[in-house]
Amino acid sequence: MLLKSAVTLTRPSVSLSKMALRCYTQLPLKVPIKLPNGIEYEQPTGLFINNKFVPSRQGKTFEVISPSTEEEICHVYEAREDDVEDAVNAADRAFKSGVWSEVDPIVRTVALNKLADYIEKDLDTIASIETLDNGKAISSAKGDVQLVVNYLRSCAGFADKIDGRVIDSGSSHFSYTRRQPLGVCGQIIPWNFPLLMWAWKIGPALATGNTVVLKTAESTPLSALYVSQYIPQAGIPPGVVNIVSGFGKIVGEALTTHPKIKKIAFTGSTATGRHIYQNAGANLKKVTLELGGKSPNVVFSDADLKSAVQNIIIGIYYNSGEVCCAGSRVYVEESVYDELLEEFKKASEAVKVGNPFDESTFQGSQTSQTQLNKILKYVEIGKEEGATLITGGERLGNKGYFIKPTIFGDVKEDMRIVKEEIFGPVVTVTKFKTVDELIEMANDSEYGLAAGIHTSNINTAFEVSNKLNAGTVWVNTYNDFHHCVPFGGFNASGIGREMGHEALDNYTQVKAVRIKVA
């Protein structure tokens, strides 16, 4: 059953045609919201600057829609260029004061652990906000929040281990290096994992002593604003973390071109990533980009097929398919192709799609009408290209942005549904005969974010893992993240890495010191 009402509305409902409505009335800095599961809370609506929620300078706001009901949740303040200037200046003052960058690193460790504690204690509310705002299944949202907690604690553990080294350059000099923070970091996060990407961005930046101005996705700003109230409570000083809600063409552009911002971190589409890279390059900023993907998920004949099918489902229908590393191209060894496809079709048709607040739901809604329309358009493209629609390909219900899990067979490698990122619960299935044929097809992509391999032969696992052009390869599992394991892409899937020790390199620079002693 789909939701009847997402929230207790705090202002009159508006039509969907005004989804990005900007208004000029004075909006409270917090509004009461009652969630479908009965949880009541106060939602911050302001920009978070200098450890305070404040209205935007121009008083503009925009509407936030619940994608599972198409109803208004609330309005939040919309940042513009002058608000970005305020946030950057606050971050710059905080960095230069040394209140965060120059303290004993254990102070950062304690603060990040406290932030993780606050979030963990409030896990149910935060996960429910994520489900309301993004449309993802509540079970997935709870998993996301736990990953947030784990990653912040992991970053806390790294905070006092950012070490340089002593270099033996002969007895006449004492030479050493130290790793220093960059300064103000501009960060832009996507709408598919709003809070998890918030943590992936601020965690390593804060652990290494930087300050942050972060832009939320305009369609999913609520969870990042909500957890920001814990920043001062955790002991993080004013100006260290600043959150601005707004639109990419205004706020994103201001961040990527601002002279005081020393580094840009972005997660989103490859097309936008290229634009950001150009902007940042013109100002010689350090850049990390986690971009799109069209990841292969491979099943060999010796695999446990039932387990493989479940991993394929997790790979493509988890988070409604709105996952940059989704296993959207499935390759199956010819001898088990028919059997695998039959099992996969049955399992796909059994996936529960609908009310994201139902604990038994696996696939919630798509995050926006725009994304739903894009997915349905690709379904039509697949049909026109001559692929066989095995199952799904239709909108589910007439309220909320739901779509049935979708499988295409009889595809050719030059089809758009094979080449282009759809970013939804749509998968193509292709057969292969040899490892060489598989590698050629799997690597024939501009992307290189992730891949999956299903086999009982460890030699096959090693051989194929080493040959696939992918930043992450999962074997007999999929979408299996860990806070200590780096994540990022090859080729058009990005630059740099999130998580693990590697993420810290994105937020530090090396200084060499050479002292003459003789």
Side-chain angles (χ1 to χ4, degrees):
M1 186 176 84
L2 302 185
L3 297 175
K4 293 183 179 179
S5 177
V7 297
T8 300
L9 297 177
T10 59
R11 56 188 298 147
S13 248
V14 298
S15 66
L16 285 178
S17 63
K18 298 180 180 178
M19 192 164 84
L21 178 70
R22 297 177 178 85
C23 57
Y24 296 85
T25 56
Q26 186 66 31
L27 179 71
L29 291 174
K30 288 189 176 182
V31 294
I33 289 179
K34 184 175 181 180
L35 296 162
N37 56 7
I39 292 175
E40 297 183 35
Y41 79 103
E42 295 232 316
Q43 173 63 51
T45 61
L47 313 177
F48 186 74
I49 300 175
N50 253 337
N51 276 8
K52 295 180 180 179
F53 290 103
V54 296
S56 58
R57 282 188 173 271
Q58 299 181 32
K60 295 184 177 183
T61 69
F62 63 92
E63 184 185 32
V64 183
I65 293 290
S66 173
S68 60
T69 65
E70 304 182 47
E71 294 179 2
E72 177 188 310
I73 301 171
C74 64
H75 281 67
V76 299
Y77 278 100
E78 178 196 343
R80 309 286 281 194
E81 293 92 342
D82 48 3
D83 302 299
V84 172
E85 190 68 24
D86 288 345
V88 171
N89 287 336
D92 187 52
R93 286 192 300 270
F95 182 77
K96 288 177 177 176
S97 73
V99 69
W100 186 253
S101 60
E102 297 176 12
V103 298
D104 187 322
I106 198 67
V107 173
R108 298 196 287 267
T109 295
V110 170
L112 284 168
N113 272 321
K114 283 184 178 179
L115 181 59
D117 290 343
Y118 280 118
I119 292 172
E120 187 168 48
K121 288 177 182 177
D122 208 5
L123 188 148
D124 287 342
T125 296
I126 296 169
S128 298
I129 295 170
E130 198 84 328
T131 291
L132 176 70
D133 198 14
N134 170 272
K136 67 176 66 193
I138 187 67
S139 58
S140 296
K142 289 179 179 179
D144 288 357
V145 179
Q146 189 59 58
L147 284 171
V148 166
V149 171
N150 293 347
Y151 186 53
L152 290 176
R153 287 179 176 151
S154 178
C155 290
F158 281 130
D160 61 352
K161 299 174 181 65
I162 313 299
D163 297 329
R165 62 191 179 99
V166 175
I167 301 168
D168 184 356
S169 59
S171 61
S172 62
H173 291 77
F174 177 65
S175 302
Y176 67 93
T177 64
R178 67 191 308 262
R179 300 197 71 88
Q180 295 185 182
L182 300 170
V184 181
C185 299
Q187 304 180 320
I188 303 171
I189 60 174
W191 42 259
N192 57 332
F193 290 95
L195 193 62
L196 187 58
M197 296 301 101
W198 174 89
W200 281 16
K201 295 295 183 284
I202 74 160
L206 297 193
T208 48
N210 296 279
T211 59
V212 166
V213 179
L214 181 144
K215 186 193 99 62
T216 60
E218 53 265 31
S219 58
T220 56
L222 301 186
S223 59
L225 290 175
Y226 180 81
V227 298
S228 294
Q229 67 187 321
Y230 295 130
I231 294 289
Q233 295 180 40
I236 299 171
V240 173
V241 176
N242 305 275
I243 310 294
V244 286
S245 307
F247 293 82
K249 289 184 178 180
I250 298 171
V251 177
E253 198 75 8
L255 289 174
T256 58
T257 58
H258 201 291
K260 289 184 179 179
I261 290 179
K262 305 304 181 184
K263 182 251 166 49
I264 291 291
F266 169 75
T267 297
S269 73
T270 296
T272 303
R274 287 192 176 103
H275 177 72
I276 287 172
Y277 194 51
Q278 290 173 346
N279 277 359
N283 294 275
L284 297 179
K285 302 182 191 301
K286 195 167 186 177
V287 179
T288 52
L289 304 170
E290 197 263 281
L291 306 175
K294 193 71 178 176
S295 300
N297 202 356
V298 183
V299 181
F300 286 92
S301 59
D302 60 3
D304 181 328
L305 294 189
K306 289 190 181 297
S307 176
V309 165
Q310 290 307 306
N311 286 324
I312 293 170
I313 284 175
I314 291 170
I316 189 60
Y317 304 141
Y318 170 70
N319 209 59
S320 304
E322 295 174 342
V323 184
C324 51
C325 57
S328 53
R329 293 185 292 149
V330 172
Y331 293 96
V332 184
E333 194 165 2
E334 187 175 48
S335 61
V336 294
Y337 177 86
D338 291 337
E339 181 182 358
L340 187 286
L341 188 57
E342 182 180 356
E343 289 294 325
F344 182 32
K345 178 177 182 292
K346 289 179 183 177
S348 295
E349 291 172 348
V351 168
K352 185 170 182 178
V353 183
N355 179 0
F357 281 93
D358 184 336
E359 292 281 354
S360 64
T361 294
F362 182 78
Q363 182 183 311
S365 68
Q366 309 309 131
T367 302
S368 68
Q369 180 75 60
T370 299
Q371 192 60 26
L372 176 67
N373 291 344
K374 175 186 175 184
I375 296 165
L376 293 174
K377 180 180 179 181
Y378 269 106
V379 171
E380 293 307 311
I381 289 171
K383 293 176 183 177
E384 292 167 3
E385 289 180 319
T388 300
L389 181 63
I390 304 297
T391 189
E394 300 174 345
R395 182 174 183 173
L396 183 63
N398 54 16
K399 191 73 169 176
Y401 311 131
F402 298 93
I403 187 170
K404 294 180 179 179
T406 301
I407 303 172
F408 276 104
D410 301 316
V411 297
K412 298 178 180 178
E413 291 302 292
D414 60 352
M415 289 180 174
R416 289 182 63 188
I417 59 171
V418 177
K419 290 294 185 187
E420 298 176 12
E421 185 178 37
I422 299 173
F423 217 64
V426 180
V427 62
T428 61
V429 185
T430 306
K431 64 180 68 172
F432 70 90
K433 292 181 180 179
T434 66
V435 169
D436 288 344
E437 179 188 22
L438 163 69
I439 296 299
E440 182 177 356
M441 291 190 295
N443 286 344
D444 185 17
S445 172
E446 67 171 320
Y447 299 109
L449 191 53
I453 300 170
H454 304 277
T455 178
S456 60
N457 188 322
I458 191 64
N459 293 321
T460 300
F462 280 126
E463 177 189 3
V464 178
S465 294
N466 291 339
K467 290 181 178 179
L468 288 173
N469 292 332
T472 297
V473 180
W474 287 294
V475 178
N476 295 327
T477 185
Y478 207 92
N479 278 334
D480 197 346
F481 295 94
H482 190 277
H483 51 273
C484 288
V485 179
F487 178 76
F490 290 10
N491 307 327
S493 287
I495 300 169
R497 292 295 180 267
E498 310 274 8
M499 299 193 295
H501 195 277
E502 289 78 359
L504 305 176
D505 294 338
N506 302 331
Y507 291 94
T508 57
Q509 53 195 343
V510 176
K511 175 181 284 183
V513 180
R514 183 163 164 81
I515 303 171
K516 189 172 182 179
V517 295

